[in-house]
């Protein structure tokens, strides 16, 4: 995977480059000590709190805050709401807001501001249909200046979890909401109550955040946070070594916005100049198998795929044992998900037998199986410039060739891959779960949304309508035992139907110089607690 010559060439070029007239190798010594320098593959976007890509979630969480926050051990803790009450029927939530909180433009944070934001989100409710809470909102009202009441159509147990999400229910200054009250097409300016203010953006270069001096909570130690745009993980690693950046924190390898390669994380771990840390698993990297298209419509084929892939070798050789091997869609510590499901395991002999029994004939040693005039070929879609998705895809291709399955690798642009997820034009496709606090409720809820890969992958199942119905019942159940039983049935069914090929439980990584302290991971994979970091 790692090309040491290419890495050395990149390092040499960066050291010889000139950034604002200062050689990159001298940047650390001459940079303002009150500025923390991070990096990201692209600019953070407009930072509309009520919308999605290209708004980057880690940056939205820096600027905007929720009523309640997801905390240690899956607890829900106060944020902009100091406390709250829930009616006996579970439908009415009354939030008592913090006083003396202001938006960074000086506008007061109060119940009217909360109402204005809820109105903006509900005006664009079709865009948020993946989130069941939006569908369950009946009405909301200002009780008094600092009391806000939310009334639901039904008792909905994930309410507080979904109010803690990075988007869409966080709060923008009323002065930044466009005339007419809708934020669907943009905002005037990214202004929140959070610890950071977006001060400047240069397309393709950086985003500069400054400390919110009026922040009601614990103020950041650094006065400024500079987020440099570095698109390539190897270039980012070199920037760390040359002093251009202070910190690498985020997912490794091929997980969307991978911050560093697994090989480079290993290298930094052995270098005494740096501290490295690994988070607990935060999400699952999986491939979805299409039950509604091509050979993967057959359960025997899907099961053979799962049995024929040597995940242990992938985790060792591609993921460098940074991530833990996954056998289920969610890890057992996710609520309701410790089900004792039997792992498929790596068993190419059994996989071949299943294909034989399903009349997929292998005409010659090393040949591709056929049934009638159909050959056993599956298209596997991945992001073409993602080296780790490509490496995993190639490993899967090699493993399945041994049992007579041809995997056609389709490496494409991100937009093309996302379009395949929406339309179902795939045989297998890379996917990932969302981590806490979305799991399992919000992620399961999204399986009912047509534009999601999960929906498309499940569409050929005879029990798809029943899966969706049970998800709906689970979300609205007021009985914990009933919810457990429903989640068990849903996940067991998807497991037995071999809809997903889990690869690994994905952890976040951190690399930083020993002069920094306070570096830690957030309670969710989308939040980075920059405010606790300081230079010794």
């Amino acid at each position: 995977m790692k090309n040491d010559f290419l890495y050395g060439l990149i390092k040499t070029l960066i050291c010889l480059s000139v950034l604002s007239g200062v050689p990159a190798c001298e940047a650390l010594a001459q940079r303002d000590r009150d500025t923390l320098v991070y990096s990201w593959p692209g600019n953070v976007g407009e930072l509309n709190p009520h919308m999605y890509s290209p708004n980057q979630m880690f940056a939205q969480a820096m600027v905007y805050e929720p009523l309640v926050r997801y905390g240690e051990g899956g607890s829900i803790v106060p944020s902009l709401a100091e406390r709250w009450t829930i009616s006996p029927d579970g439908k009415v939530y009354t939030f008592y807001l913090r006083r003396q909180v202001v938006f960074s433009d000086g506008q007061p944070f109060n119940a009217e501001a909360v109402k204005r934001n809820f109105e903006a989100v509900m005006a664009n409710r079709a865009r948020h249909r993946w989130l069941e809470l939006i569908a369950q909102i009946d009405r909301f009202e200002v009780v008094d200046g600092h009391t806000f009441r939310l009334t639901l159509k039904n008792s909905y147990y994930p309410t507080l979890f979904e109010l803690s999400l990075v988007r869409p229910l966080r709060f923008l200054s009323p002065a930044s909401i466009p005339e007419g009250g809708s934020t669907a097409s943009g905002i005037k300016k990214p202004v929140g109550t959070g610890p950071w203010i977006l001060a400047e953006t240069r397309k393709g270069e950086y985003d500069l955040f400054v400390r919110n001096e009026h922040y009601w909570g614990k103020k950041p130690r650094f006065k400024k946070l500079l987020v440099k745009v570095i698109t390539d993980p190897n270039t980012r690693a070199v920037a760390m070594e040359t002093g251009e950046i202070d910190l690498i924190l985020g997912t490794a390898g091929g997980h969307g916005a991978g911050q560093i390669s697994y090989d480079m994380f290993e290298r930094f771990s052995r270098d005494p100049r740096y501290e490295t840390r690994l988070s607990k698993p935060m999400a699952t990297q999986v491939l979805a198998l299409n039950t509604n298209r091509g050979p993967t419509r057959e359960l025997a084929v899907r099961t053979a795929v799962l049995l024929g892939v040597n995940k242990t070798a992938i985790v060792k050789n591609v993921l460098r044992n940074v991530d833990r091997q996954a056998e289920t869609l969610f890890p057992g510590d996710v609520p309701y998900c410790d089900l004792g499901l039997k792992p498929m395991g790596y068993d190419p002999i059994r996989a071949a037998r299943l294909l034989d029994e399903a009349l997929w004939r292998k005409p010659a040693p090393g040949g591709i199986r056929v049934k009638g005039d159909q050959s056993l070929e599956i298209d596997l879609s991945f992001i073409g410039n993602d080296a780790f998705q490509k490496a995993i895809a190639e490993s899967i291709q090699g493993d399945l060739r041994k049992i007579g399955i041809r995997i056609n690798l389709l490496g494409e642009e991100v937009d093309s891959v996302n379009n395949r997820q929406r339309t179902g034009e795939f045989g297998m496709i890379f996917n990932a779960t969302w981590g806490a606090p979305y799991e399992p409720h919000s992620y399961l809820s999204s399986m009912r949304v047509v534009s999601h890969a999960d929906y498309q992958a499940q569409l050929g199942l005879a029990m798809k309508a029943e899966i969706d119905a049970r998800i709906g019942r689970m979300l609205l159940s007021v009985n914990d035992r009933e919810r457990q039983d429903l989640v068990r049935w849903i996940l067991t069914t998807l497991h037995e139907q071999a809809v997903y090929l889990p690869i690994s439980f994905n952890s976040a990584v951190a690399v930083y110089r020993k002069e920094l302290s306070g570096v830690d991971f957030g309670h969710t994979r989308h939040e980075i607690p920059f405010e606790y970091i300081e230079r010794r």
Side-chain angles (χ1 to χ4, degrees):
M1 284 296 297
K2 183 71 180 68
N3 188 319
D4 288 323
F5 173 76
L6 179 60
Y7 174 78
L9 179 60
I10 292 171
K11 183 174 180 179
T12 300
L13 290 173
I14 288 183
C15 286
L16 293 174
S17 69
V18 176
L19 301 175
S20 300
V22 179
C25 294
E26 300 174 17
L28 183 63
Q30 298 190 24
R31 190 170 60 236
D32 182 355
R33 288 182 57 82
D34 286 331
T35 301
L36 176 68
V37 184
Y38 182 60
S39 68
W40 195 252
N43 288 104
V44 300
E46 180 192 29
L47 293 194
N48 184 335
H50 306 149
M51 292 300 287
Y52 306 94
S53 182
N55 300 289
Q56 297 299 305
M57 296 178 76
F58 83 94
Q60 287 173 299
M62 293 165 59
V63 173
Y64 303 107
E65 296 183 292
L67 290 173
V68 296
R69 194 174 294 278
Y70 185 82
E72 185 72 34
S75 61
I76 295 294
V77 299
S79 184
L80 290 176
E82 288 185 309
R83 59 188 178 89
W84 56 91
T85 60
I86 306 172
S87 64
D89 64 2
K91 295 181 182 181
V92 181
Y93 289 71
T94 303
F95 296 93
Y96 301 91
L97 309 179
R98 293 185 186 275
R99 298 174 183 269
Q100 281 78 53
V101 175
V102 297
F103 291 94
S104 60
D105 63 358
Q107 291 283 315
F109 173 78
N110 52 32
E112 183 59 36
V114 173
K115 180 174 178 286
R116 291 279 305 278
N117 277 262
F118 266 76
E119 288 171 343
V121 171
M122 295 302 290
N124 192 28
R125 70 182 71 193
R127 182 67 179 83
H128 312 302
R129 62 187 181 276
W130 64 273
L131 189 66
E132 180 63 24
L133 176 60
I134 301 299
Q136 291 301 322
I137 292 176
D138 182 32
R139 63 185 183 275
F140 43 86
E141 58 193 312
V142 172
V143 177
D144 60 38
H146 285 84
T147 308
F148 176 77
R149 181 171 294 147
L150 175 65
T151 302
L152 307 179
K153 299 171 185 175
N154 300 282
S155 176
Y156 181 59
Y157 90 93
T159 295
L160 293 176
F161 290 101
E162 296 190 353
L163 286 172
S164 76
L165 301 181
V166 170
R167 54 197 187 196
L169 289 168
R170 293 203 178 191
F171 302 100
L172 174 71
S173 169
S176 287
I177 297 176
E179 286 73 17
S182 174
T183 54
S185 299
I187 60 177
K188 292 181 180 179
K189 189 177 180 181
V191 179
T193 61
W196 297 97
I197 300 169
L198 179 61
E200 182 183 1
T201 290
R202 286 197 180 180
K203 187 73 172 175
E205 295 184 34
Y206 64 80
D207 297 285
L208 177 65
F209 293 83
V210 298
R211 182 168 65 196
N212 181 0
E213 299 295 349
H214 302 291
Y215 184 52
W216 61 270
K218 194 177 187 66
K219 293 182 178 62
R221 268 67 162 193
F222 280 95
K223 291 181 179 179
K224 299 177 183 179
L225 172 65
L226 181 66
V227 183
K228 296 183 67 66
V229 175
I230 302 177
T231 59
D232 176 67
N234 286 337
T235 305
R236 181 176 295 107
V238 172
M240 184 72 187
E241 289 194 334
T242 58
E244 186 183 347
I245 62 175
D246 294 311
L247 169 71
I248 297 172
L249 194 153
T251 54
H255 301 275
Q259 289 289 290
I260 189 174
S261 72
Y262 293 97
D263 290 322
M264 284 309 305
F265 180 73
E266 272 195 325
R267 180 179 296 198
F268 278 116
S269 297
R270 297 191 298 267
D271 192 323
R273 295 173 298 170
Y274 304 98
E275 296 281 355
T276 60
R277 299 186 62 190
L278 187 65
S279 78
K280 65 179 183 181
M282 288 188 162
T284 312
Q285 181 172 220
V286 304
L287 279 83
L289 283 69
N290 197 332
T291 65
N292 198 42
R293 184 177 182 268
T296 50
R297 287 177 293 187
E298 296 186 27
L299 176 59
V301 172
R302 299 194 302 273
T303 304
V305 167
L306 269 61
L307 291 168
V309 173
N310 189 348
K311 292 188 292 188
T312 301
I314 291 174
V315 170
K316 178 182 178 181
N317 298 324
V318 180
L319 308 184
R320 313 300 296 175
N321 289 318
V322 174
D323 288 350
R324 180 161 57 89
Q325 183 172 326
E327 300 295 348
T328 53
L329 185 60
F330 303 117
D333 59 358
V334 169
Y336 306 119
C337 295
D338 187 11
L339 304 177
L341 297 175
K342 184 179 179 181
M344 286 286 184
Y346 176 52
D347 193 343
I349 295 175
R350 182 182 166 208
R353 185 170 64 248
L354 283 174
L355 294 174
D356 290 339
E357 293 170 354
L359 305 181
W360 286 98
R361 184 173 55 85
K362 193 173 183 180
I368 301 303
R369 292 176 181 268
V370 295
K371 180 188 287 189
D373 60 356
Q374 183 182 17
S375 62
L376 187 45
E377 299 185 33
I378 303 170
D379 292 340
L380 195 167
S381 179
F382 66 97
I383 298 171
N385 63 359
D386 187 318
F388 285 86
Q389 283 194 8
K390 184 174 186 291
I392 292 170
E394 289 173 345
S395 294
I396 291 172
Q397 183 185 52
D399 286 340
L400 296 182
R401 178 71 188 225
K402 297 172 185 175
I403 59 172
I405 300 176
R406 175 181 287 132
I407 298 296
N408 300 317
L409 302 185
L410 304 179
E412 300 176 313
E413 297 290 333
V414 173
D415 289 346
S416 296
V417 175
N418 289 342
N419 186 61
R420 289 184 182 276
Q421 291 187 339
R422 290 190 292 268
T423 62
E425 294 180 32
F426 61 85
M428 299 168 62
I429 197 165
F430 277 85
N431 201 13
T433 65
W434 302 342
Y438 298 89
E439 297 174 358
H441 46 274
S442 297
Y443 193 86
L444 291 179
S445 177
S446 76
M447 290 179 177
R448 303 173 299 168
V449 178
V450 175
S451 60
H452 284 212
D454 301 87
Y455 178 91
Q456 297 294 339
Q458 298 170 21
L459 193 55
L461 296 177
M463 67 288 293
K464 173 58 175 168
E466 180 65 17
I467 290 172
D468 289 356
R470 293 200 185 209
I471 290 172
R473 285 168 50 196
M474 178 271 297
L475 292 170
L476 300 182
S477 174
V478 298
N479 183 286
D480 190 69
R481 177 61 182 272
E482 181 185 29
R483 285 199 295 268
Q484 173 70 76
D485 290 343
L486 287 166
V487 172
R488 177 180 294 278
W489 186 91
I490 294 162
L491 293 182
T492 300
T493 298
L494 293 174
H495 185 78
E496 292 175 347
Q497 290 296 315
V499 178
Y500 297 97
L501 171 58
I503 299 294
S504 66
F505 296 128
N506 176 218
S507 296
V509 298
V511 179
Y512 54 98
R513 284 182 178 76
K514 292 185 175 180
E515 68 181 70
L516 292 184
S517 64
V519 177
D520 203 353
F521 303 103
H523 296 305
T524 77
R525 64 192 295 232
H526 305 296
E527 297 177 280
I528 303 175
F530 292 114
E531 56 270 28
Y532 297 106
I533 302 174
E534 59 186 332
R535 209 182 299 280
R536 299 180 197 273

